[in-house]
Amino acid sequence: MTVMKESVLVVDDDLGFLQVIKNILQRQGYKVETVSSAGEAVSRTQLRFYNVAILDISLPDMEGTVLLSKLLEKHPDMIVIMLTGHASLENAVESLNRGAFAYLEKPLDPRQLTSAMNRGLEKQRLVFENRSLLEELERRNREIGVLLSVSRAILQSADLSQALEAALRQVAQALGVNACWVHLSTDGKLVLKGQQGLPPEITAQLGCLKADEEMLSQVFGGQPVVGEIKAQRDSGLACLARTGLRWCALFPLINQEEVLGVMGAASCSSNGLAQHQLELLSAIAGEVSLAVHNARLYEEACNARALRELDSLRTQFLANVSHELRTPLAAIKGFATSLLQPDVTFDEETWRDFLQSIDREADRLNRLIGELLLMSRLESGALEVRRERHRLADIIGSIKDRLHTLTVKHQLRIQVSDDLTVLADSERIGEVFTNLVENAVKYSPEGSPITIEAHSNGREACISVIDEGIGIPPELHQKVFERFYQVNPTGEVSGTGLGLSICQGIVEAHGGRIWVESRPGEGAKFTFTLPGGDRS
């Protein structure tokens, strides 16, 4: 069986020559077409590409050199061999300058023609191969760029859902698919964790799929699946067809032989994706698998670390509470025992001092127990606040004696307008003031001022408690509101570490917020907001 070689177009107005050259080239396996005019040659080359064109330099309707230029303008890779019955140096130079590969004289030597064609076709094959390699290199570079973009998108967010959304956006843009998504395996079901290009109603239907459906079960076997969506009539993926999507490709998300989920891509095109695009999707699925695995490891590590920290805090809390409870109890027990001594007589002033000490320590003990109960109610969500319209000055006035007792060794300054009103539970907000002032006393030198100030921004009141104490590093501004946490650089400050956490819970129960502004050595300003009392 003769294997057809490259195609050849011969253009000459000598019909006898056309027949002879056609027979010679066909016997060598070339696919040969012949025409007798330049116009017909231009028409043929508008429809298809010929590997070789053999042109007579003198044609009835156009100079061969002009036809040469037209053919190469349309097909730059064509090998053109010029023929002439009247050789001249001028014609040869002009032909070669216009891009002819060879210039041969008639009568034509078939071996000379064949040799010229072979050299030209070898050059053409090298050009095609180099171009193909270059295109392959550019495609590979684009694919590497897509993979890098996906990796970058995944690494830019610690939140897995956000990372998946960003990665899928890169997939949709780079591959031109109409939709793509990721399902993760949870308790034998596939839960949708990210998608691009799917309408809300379809997203809702794909939210949770059974992993044992025929198409998905194949993916869970570890192999990608590519197929038409309409063929999956009983599958949870069948809803995709209603959006005009015609085919889909599913890739398993695998890490160490464990299938973590499925990444899917779908298109409205009937042709689907090329093999190299499917290979790229498979590589992207590998990146997503690694991201999912790392996210789970990170979550497990965070949970373990959080449990260790919580256990440590609870141990510290129990030690603090034990100390805080024993101190007033020891004082009460000591004074009471002294008063009950039958063989000792105390004067009235000593009796009064002892009783005042017992009363003060009992109040301290009662307040500590109240804090513990309040924290428990905050954590369980059982705390109720009765928001009523109050003048802020009246709330502070109701606890003024308590505040002055706390700040007996400091200078308490209250700068609150009489007409500033808030919607608040006065008793609970009184506890916030008490805790913030007590906190300021703990961390401020004796004799320094502690200031309560407030203003309204129209919608809400902003209330601040300001001290000139040791300050708080910026990295601890959020941490100080955590349960049991204390900024205690000297180890001399006592307490349970619940005060600020209780303040945050009460303020948030009112619909407000609380924060601290501070730097080491520059004091601290704790500010919280409450709804304004003039709001409708």
Side-chain angles (χ1 to χ4, degrees):
M1 179 179 180
T2 302
V3 177
M4 295 300 295
K5 292 186 179 181
E6 291 83 352
S7 57
V8 180
L9 176 67
V10 184
V11 185
D12 200 302
D13 58 346
D14 185 341
L15 298 182
F17 173 79
L18 289 179
Q19 187 60 47
V20 171
I21 197 69
K22 182 176 183 179
N23 290 337
I24 293 172
L25 294 177
Q26 282 182 337
R27 283 198 297 270
Q28 295 180 20
Y30 293 103
K31 184 177 181 180
V32 184
E33 295 183 20
T34 60
V35 293
S36 58
S37 68
E40 193 173 356
V42 171
S43 298
R44 295 279 185 99
T45 54
Q46 292 292 331
L47 300 176
R48 60 163 298 183
F49 170 77
Y50 295 89
N51 297 93
V52 180
I54 302 173
L55 312 181
D56 188 16
I57 202 166
S58 297
L59 295 170
D61 55 344
M62 186 184 299
E63 287 293 326
T65 51
V66 175
L67 176 59
L68 164 66
S69 297
K70 287 182 176 291
L71 296 186
L72 290 180
E73 183 180 357
K74 177 66 176 177
H75 300 292
D77 297 320
M78 183 183 291
I79 300 299
V80 180
I81 297 174
M82 302 299 295
L83 302 178
T84 180
H86 306 283
S88 73
L89 180 60
E90 182 181 349
N91 285 339
V93 170
E94 183 180 2
S95 296
L96 294 174
N97 284 340
R98 293 199 181 205
F101 181 76
Y103 182 86
L104 303 178
E105 297 181 17
K106 293 180 181 178
L108 189 62
D109 182 348
R111 289 175 299 181
Q112 190 179 14
L113 175 62
T114 300
S115 176
M117 288 178 60
N118 287 340
R119 293 196 311 274
L121 290 171
E122 180 61 25
K123 173 189 173 183
Q124 188 181 75
R125 278 192 289 270
L126 290 174
V127 169
F128 288 164
E129 287 176 6
N130 288 337
R131 185 176 299 156
S132 177
L133 289 173
L134 182 60
E135 290 173 353
E136 176 70 12
L137 180 60
E138 290 175 348
R139 181 176 65 80
R140 290 295 183 185
N141 284 338
R142 288 194 299 270
E143 291 176 355
I144 291 171
V146 173
L147 278 174
L148 288 175
S149 297
V150 170
S151 297
R152 224 173 3 248
I154 288 172
L155 292 173
Q156 282 175 347
S157 175
D159 181 83
L160 180 60
S161 296
Q162 292 180 2
L164 291 177
E165 292 282 353
L168 291 173
R169 276 197 300 274
Q170 294 292 333
V171 172
Q173 292 171 4
L175 293 176
V177 293
N178 299 99
C180 50
W181 62 91
V182 167
H183 281 90
L184 297 184
S185 178
T186 305
D187 298 328
K189 295 183 178 180
L190 289 172
V191 179
L192 187 66
K193 290 295 183 179
Q195 63 86 22
Q196 283 291 309
L198 295 174
E201 63 275 12
I202 300 300
T203 301
Q205 293 183 53
L206 292 178
C208 187
L209 301 178
K210 296 178 180 179
D212 58 356
E213 291 182 3
E214 181 180 355
M215 194 173 189
L216 294 172
S217 65
Q218 294 179 46
V219 182
F220 265 74
Q223 295 298 322
V225 175
V226 180
E228 290 188 79
I229 295 172
K230 66 180 181 181
Q232 310 298 322
R233 295 180 180 177
D234 299 326
S235 168
L237 299 173
C239 62
L240 294 171
R242 294 201 296 274
T243 65
L245 297 170
R246 301 183 64 175
W247 67 268
C248 69
L250 304 176
F251 297 87
L253 302 178
I254 302 176
N255 184 270
Q256 297 179 352
E257 299 184 356
E258 178 189 2
V259 180
L260 307 175
V262 176
M263 186 182 81
S267 172
C268 298
S269 169
S270 58
N271 298 325
L273 288 177
Q275 182 61 34
H276 68 87
Q277 291 175 307
L278 294 174
E279 291 172 359
L280 178 57
L281 276 173
S282 181
I284 292 172
E287 291 289 323
V288 173
S289 302
L290 187 59
V292 173
H293 177 67
N294 289 342
R296 290 183 174 179
L297 289 179
Y298 179 74
E299 183 179 359
E300 290 173 3
C302 288
N303 289 339
R305 184 168 60 250
L307 288 173
R308 288 194 300 271
E309 290 179 357
L310 182 60
D311 186 59
S312 175
L313 287 172
R314 282 175 175 166
T315 301
Q316 181 183 347
F317 169 70
L318 289 174
N320 290 343
V321 168
S322 298
H323 174 74
E324 293 295 309
L325 288 173
R326 285 195 183 101
T327 300
L329 280 173
I332 292 170
K333 177 66 174 174
F335 288 124
T337 300
S338 297
L339 291 173
L340 291 172
Q341 289 291 332
D343 56 345
V344 180
T345 301
F346 297 100
D347 57 39
E348 183 177 347
E349 184 178 355
T350 302
W351 265 85
R352 181 174 295 278
D353 287 343
F354 280 14
L355 289 174
Q356 285 178 344
S357 295
I358 290 172
D359 182 63
R360 185 171 58 252
E361 295 300 327
D363 285 344
R364 179 181 172 187
L365 185 61
N366 183 59
R367 183 148 177 264
L368 177 59
I369 294 172
E371 279 188 352
L372 295 173
L373 293 174
L374 181 56
M375 193 70 236
S376 176
R377 293 172 67 186
L378 284 169
E379 288 186 337
S380 64
L383 180 69
E384 294 181 4
V385 293
R386 297 179 180 178
R387 297 200 305 176
E388 298 175 347
R389 189 173 181 272
H390 293 280
R391 289 196 317 154
L392 188 61
D394 290 341
I395 295 177
I396 297 174
S398 68
I399 59 168
K400 205 166 189 178
D401 291 342
R402 189 193 310 168
L403 297 181
H404 280 300
T405 300
L406 289 171
T407 58
V408 67
K409 295 181 180 181
H410 293 74
Q411 303 174 44
L412 180 62
R413 300 172 180 174
I414 301 175
Q415 301 171 357
V416 177
S417 171
D418 286 341
D419 59 359
L420 181 59
T421 59
V422 294
L423 288 174
D425 185 319
S426 61
E427 182 180 352
R428 297 302 182 198
I429 295 304
E431 293 174 16
V432 173
F433 277 115
T434 301
N435 283 339
L436 291 178
V437 170
E438 184 177 32
N439 187 72
V441 168
K442 286 181 181 179
Y443 295 100
S444 300
E446 292 184 7
S448 63
I450 294 175
T451 305
I452 298 175
E453 64 178 29
H455 70 274
S456 173
N457 62 12
R459 296 183 303 104
E460 59 186 8
C462 295
I463 306 114
S464 300
V465 175
I466 307 166
D467 65 60
E468 296 182 2
I470 62 174
I472 304 170
E475 64 270 18
L476 299 181
H477 285 187
Q478 292 297 322
K479 201 168 184 63
V480 294
F481 293 102
E482 294 179 5
R483 292 173 298 162
F484 318 138
Y485 187 80
Q486 289 181 294
V487 179
N488 193 6
T490 65
E492 298 175 356
V493 178
S494 63
T496 60
L498 292 177
L500 292 178
S501 182
I502 288 173
C503 290
Q504 184 181 50
I506 293 174
V507 169
E508 290 181 350
H510 280 76
R513 60 196 189 284
I514 185 170
W515 66 93
V516 62
E517 300 168 67
S518 178
R519 290 185 179 277
E522 299 180 8
K525 179 180 181 180
F526 282 87
T527 303
F528 65 96
T529 64
L530 291 173
D534 295 330
R535 293 199 311 175
S536 58

